Amino acid sequence: MRLLRDNGLTIVLSVLSLLTIIGMLCTGWSVYDLELGQHKGAEISLATYAASGHFLSSLFENWESEFLQMSAYVMLTAFLFQRGSAESNDPDEPTEENDTSGRISHPNAPWPVRVGGMVHSLYSYSLGIALGLLFVLSLALHLKFSADAQNAESAMHGEPAVSAFSHLASAQFWFESLQNWQSEFLSTAVLVVLSIFLRFKGSQESKPVASPNRETGT
């Protein structure tokens, strides 16, 4: 079926995302009910858990780190180089697009390109902007629900609640964030370096199998 062939990558990744979120929800519910039982608390329903800080904090904590990785990767690869990597522009080749007029009249060009001016300029960096905004949104949601999770745990121990603003300055919030950020930056660096020496036939993230190690880009 042509629809599946043309959109298979997005479909498979979307299905895998949904399945892993469901798995995370079910296993997190089991873990949280166990914690409640240890504190003599009543078990909660799956629907209640799905709206809890315990689940949503973990969910957006991971989204935050992924959008940080993608936005940083998109932006940094526009200005920085790694000779020989499939993930880098060639430092010896110009990276500017051929279009310098700010307007393309081709009927199949995206409409912001055809409009030109400020709209064209914003569109030129729209991928990085969108990923950056998704990172900021995920960070804000992680903060909100992390504070909720902290307050739920504090209530079990008879401790006072804290505001999201106060939680922003806590070691707990930054530990949650930084433990994911470091892995995202590390995994991206590993991909950049390994793509110099290793290949995966047919992948857009790999150079052609016969390409020299020193050759940069795909």
Side-chain angles (χ1 to χ4, degrees):
M1 189 174 179
R2 185 166 184 172
L3 176 66
L4 295 177
R5 187 203 67 179
D6 290 352
N7 302 283
L9 183 58
T10 298
I11 292 170
V12 169
L13 289 173
S14 297
V15 170
L16 289 174
S17 296
L18 180 60
L19 290 176
T20 50
I21 289 173
I22 292 172
M24 177 184 172
L25 176 62
C26 293
T27 54
W29 179 39
S30 177
V31 169
Y32 193 58
D33 269 347
L34 180 61
E35 291 180 6
L36 289 174
Q38 292 172 344
H39 292 87
K40 311 302 181 184
E43 293 185 354
I44 61 174
S45 68
L46 181 62
T48 300
Y49 177 71
S52 70
H54 188 274
F55 171 69
L56 292 175
S57 174
S58 296
L59 181 69
F60 290 118
E61 172 188 334
N62 283 279
W63 288 16
E64 162 201 319
S65 63
E66 297 302 331
F67 289 129
L68 172 65
Q69 179 195 39
M70 290 294 99
S71 59
Y73 176 74
V74 166
M75 295 177 190
L76 291 177
T77 52
F79 307 105
L80 302 179
F81 306 98
Q82 174 54 61
R83 183 174 297 280
S85 176
E87 304 298 318
S88 171
N89 290 317
D90 191 331
D92 296 326
E93 296 292 334
T95 57
E96 291 294 325
E97 295 183 3
N98 292 329
D99 168 45
T100 57
S101 66
R103 182 189 295 270
I104 294 180
S105 59
H106 194 286
N108 291 328
W111 71 265
V113 177
R114 287 182 275 116
V115 169
M118 181 62 70
V119 174
H120 176 273
S121 297
L122 287 173
Y123 184 71
S124 298
Y125 300 99
S126 56
L127 179 59
I129 293 171
L131 290 170
L133 289 175
L134 286 170
F135 162 68
V136 172
L137 177 60
S138 299
L139 178 67
L141 290 170
H142 170 212
L143 173 62
K144 193 271 183 192
F145 291 112
S146 179
D148 288 351
Q150 182 62 51
N151 288 334
E153 184 173 346
S154 295
M156 294 181 191
H157 297 88
E159 299 172 353
V162 298
S163 67
F165 184 77
S166 297
H167 190 60
L168 178 61
S170 70
Q172 176 64 32
F173 173 71
W174 289 108
F175 174 71
E176 292 171 359
S177 292
L178 294 172
Q179 67 177 325
N180 287 291
W181 294 9
Q182 57 84 22
S183 64
E184 301 299 342
F185 289 130
L186 177 61
S187 63
T188 303
V190 168
L191 176 61
V192 167
V193 173
L194 289 184
S195 70
I196 300 173
F197 308 102
L198 305 179
R199 312 285 188 267
F200 197 95
K201 187 176 181 179
S203 174
Q204 283 295 311
E205 302 303 313
S206 169
K207 295 187 292 188
V209 175
S211 294
N213 289 341
R214 190 169 174 80
E215 183 176 305
T216 304
T218 57

